[in-house]
């Protein structure tokens, strides 16, 4: 049985609906109605679903669930929820949204001390958060600050730290590499992972950083935390911090040889990642992005868009169109039919 037929059968049983009466109301053959109820045939269209919902006097919530089940039965579970996630992203994303806490300028000396140590073990989320805020605040006060991150943007953890350290008045360069899920899986309970990452990335472009992003497809470290040993890394000019996938443990160091080795690892990852996005802060930059976008289309074709002008269109007879539409117009005959 399909998800639509299961839900329809459930509603019919709850409301004691007879198949014959329902088919008669919908103007549908009883045999075909049985096939729909048993999941052997999909509903013929949205109007049919509307009639079924009307006859059974479904509540708005029940009607919404039935219509959703219909769409899933037509396009499939994964495709439906992937499209739904995209729609929610386009209608709900707010790149300039306010964070849930008051943003205060953070100084490097606030709330964190390494004393004379060259390294420090981090235990717990508070220690990890404090270390990253310390590193970020310290780097944003450097004249040529540069932060490099190999970190997943699936939570607001990263955005909150960068937001709180963005008030130094100095534009710091931030290079961010992250992994995108290549399975394209989406369910009703789980959000689309890639769109969740994108939602959390967009606000970072609004802060006082030269924020650049790169991505690669593959294994998401956080999906298997038990066997992921320090998959995340944050580097500044003076510190390096490697982190577990759950962001509960870490290792902070300012030892030069360790910084050099981790920097080489980051640059190697950077060389294998693809550019995700960047701000078009100049006309040349915008032209470069448009050129890149146009290069992604492998095929080109001619198309037409018609806008009806009520004072003019009614007087265009077939004879006038045949006479004045260019003879060498691509797809001319189809174009004339549409006109």
């Amino acid at each position: 049985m399909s998800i639509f037929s299961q839900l329809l059968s459930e509603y019919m049983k709850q409301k004691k609906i007879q198949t014959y009466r329902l088919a008669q109301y919908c103007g549908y053959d009883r045999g075909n109605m049985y096939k729909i109820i048993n999941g052997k045939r999909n509903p013929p269209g949205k109007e049919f679903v509307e009639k079924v919902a009307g006859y059974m006097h479904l509540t708005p919530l029940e009607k919404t669930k039935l219509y959703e089940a219909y769409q899933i039965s037509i396009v499939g579970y994964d495709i439906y929820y992937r499209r739904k996630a995209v729609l929610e992203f386009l209608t709900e994303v707010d790149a300039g949204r306010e964070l849930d806490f008051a943003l205060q300028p953070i100084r490097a000396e606030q709330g964190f001390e390494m004393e004379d140590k060259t390294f420090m073990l981090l235990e717990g989320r508070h220690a990890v958060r404090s270390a990253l805020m310390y590193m970020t605040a310290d780097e944003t006060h450097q004249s040529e600050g540069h932060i490099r991150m190999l970190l997943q943007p699936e939570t607001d953890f990263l955005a909150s730290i960068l937001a709180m350290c963005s008030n130094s008045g100095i534009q710091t360069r931030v290079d961010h590499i992250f992994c995108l899920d290549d399975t394209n899986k989406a369910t009703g309970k789980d959000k689309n992972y890639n769109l969740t990452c994108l939602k959390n990335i967009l606000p970072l472009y609004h802060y006082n950083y030269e924020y650049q992003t790169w991505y690669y497809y593959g294994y998401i470290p956080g999906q298997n935390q038990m066997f992921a040993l320090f998959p995340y890394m944050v580097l500044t000019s003076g510190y390096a911090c490697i982190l577990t996938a759950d962001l509960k443990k870490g290792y902070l160091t300012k030892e030069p040889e360790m910084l050099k080795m981790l920097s080489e690892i980051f640059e190697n990852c950077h060389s294998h990642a693809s550019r995700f996005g960047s701000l078009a802060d100049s006309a040349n930059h915008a032209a470069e992005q448009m050129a890149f976008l146009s290069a992604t289309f492998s095929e080109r074709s001619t198309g037409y868009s018609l806008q009806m002008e009520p004072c003019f269109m009614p007087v265009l007879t077939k004879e006038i169109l045949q006479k004045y539409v260019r003879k060498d117009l691509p797809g001319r005959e189809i174009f004339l039919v549409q006109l």
Side-chain angles (χ1 to χ4, degrees):
M1 296 180 69
S2 68
I3 186 173
F4 178 84
S5 63
Q6 289 177 342
L7 187 59
L8 177 58
S9 298
E10 180 182 330
Y11 286 159
M12 291 179 66
K13 184 177 181 180
Q14 290 176 359
K15 302 175 184 298
K16 300 179 180 179
I17 302 296
Q18 296 180 356
T19 302
Y20 172 74
R21 296 295 184 186
L22 179 61
Q24 188 178 44
Y25 178 84
C26 295
Y28 206 62
D29 178 76
R30 183 168 58 177
N32 288 327
M33 180 64 75
Y34 273 114
K35 291 181 180 179
I36 292 175
I37 295 172
N38 294 326
K40 296 180 179 179
R41 175 174 294 182
N42 284 327
K46 293 186 289 185
E47 293 183 1
F48 175 85
V49 179
E50 290 284 347
K51 288 184 177 181
V52 169
Y55 181 78
M56 293 194 294
H57 301 292
L58 297 182
T59 66
L61 179 59
E62 290 173 335
K63 183 178 178 180
T64 298
K65 288 183 177 179
L66 187 66
Y67 183 67
E68 184 177 67
Y70 158 71
Q71 292 180 306
I72 293 173
S73 298
I74 297 300
V75 302
Y77 198 83
D78 286 341
I79 293 178
Y80 170 76
Y81 280 107
R82 191 156 63 242
R83 290 177 178 175
K84 183 178 180 180
V86 172
L87 179 61
E88 289 176 349
F89 170 77
L90 294 175
T91 55
E92 296 176 6
V93 67
D94 181 8
R97 71 183 187 276
E98 294 293 332
L99 297 174
D100 294 334
F101 49 81
L103 301 182
Q104 300 293 335
I106 301 295
R107 298 191 305 273
E109 62 270 17
Q110 285 183 322
F112 191 88
E113 290 293 340
M114 276 199 74
E115 300 176 349
D116 296 327
K117 300 178 181 178
T118 58
F119 72 92
M120 179 179 289
L121 299 179
L122 306 174
E123 291 282 351
R125 287 184 179 273
H126 178 73
V128 170
R129 183 184 180 89
S130 297
L132 293 181
M133 290 183 65
Y134 176 86
M135 293 172 59
T136 304
D138 178 72
E139 196 68 13
T140 55
H141 286 77
Q142 305 296 329
S143 59
E144 296 183 359
H146 186 192
I147 302 172
R148 290 168 290 176
M149 302 184 298
L150 189 60
L151 191 65
Q152 292 302 106
E154 57 195 75
T155 69
D156 287 332
F157 181 78
L158 173 61
S160 64
I161 291 176
L162 290 178
M164 295 182 72
C165 300
S166 65
N167 301 315
S168 67
I170 302 173
Q171 190 177 58
T172 304
R173 177 180 170 182
V174 178
D175 292 338
H176 186 190
I177 302 175
F178 52 89
C179 179
L180 291 178
D181 184 15
D182 61 354
T183 63
N184 286 323
K185 294 291 183 180
T187 67
K189 296 181 180 179
D190 299 328
K191 296 180 179 180
N192 183 289
Y193 182 83
N194 292 345
L195 287 180
T196 299
C197 289
L198 181 57
K199 283 182 180 180
N200 292 333
I201 285 172
L202 290 179
L204 303 183
Y205 288 100
H206 285 256
Y207 302 140
N208 187 35
Y209 297 101
E210 184 186 342
Y211 182 63
Q212 305 289 343
T213 50
W214 286 264
Y215 75 98
Y216 64 96
Y217 281 113
Y219 168 72
I220 306 298
Q223 293 180 355
N224 192 353
Q225 297 177 0
M226 182 178 296
F227 296 102
L229 180 64
F230 299 122
Y232 301 149
M233 177 168 59
V234 179
L235 301 173
T236 65
S237 59
Y239 298 92
C241 185
I242 53 177
L243 302 163
T244 57
D246 58 6
L247 301 178
K248 292 182 179 179
K249 295 179 183 293
Y251 177 85
L252 177 67
T253 180
K254 57 181 180 180
E255 204 279 319
E257 290 298 319
M258 190 69 170
L259 264 64
K260 180 181 178 182
M261 182 188 73
L262 293 177
S263 294
E264 291 174 353
I265 292 175
F266 183 91
E267 293 305 322
N268 182 58
C269 294
H270 181 265
S271 66
H272 288 85
S274 301
R275 173 63 68 90
F276 183 78
S278 59
L279 289 178
D281 52 7
S282 67
N284 289 336
H285 196 174
E288 290 175 2
Q289 292 196 6
M290 292 304 296
F292 174 80
L293 180 62
S294 63
T296 63
F297 295 94
S298 59
E299 297 181 359
R300 292 179 172 82
S301 59
T302 302
Y304 303 98
S305 175
L306 303 180
Q307 180 175 338
M308 304 297 285
E309 298 292 345
C311 62
F312 184 63
M313 294 300 291
V315 302
L316 293 179
T317 64
K318 293 182 180 180
E319 291 76 16
I320 292 177
L321 294 175
Q322 286 287 353
K323 181 176 181 180
Y324 289 105
V325 173
R326 286 173 44 188
K327 305 300 181 183
D328 60 345
L329 191 70
R332 183 176 186 274
E333 294 305 318
I334 297 177
F335 182 67
L336 289 174
V337 171
Q338 295 302 316
L339 280 173

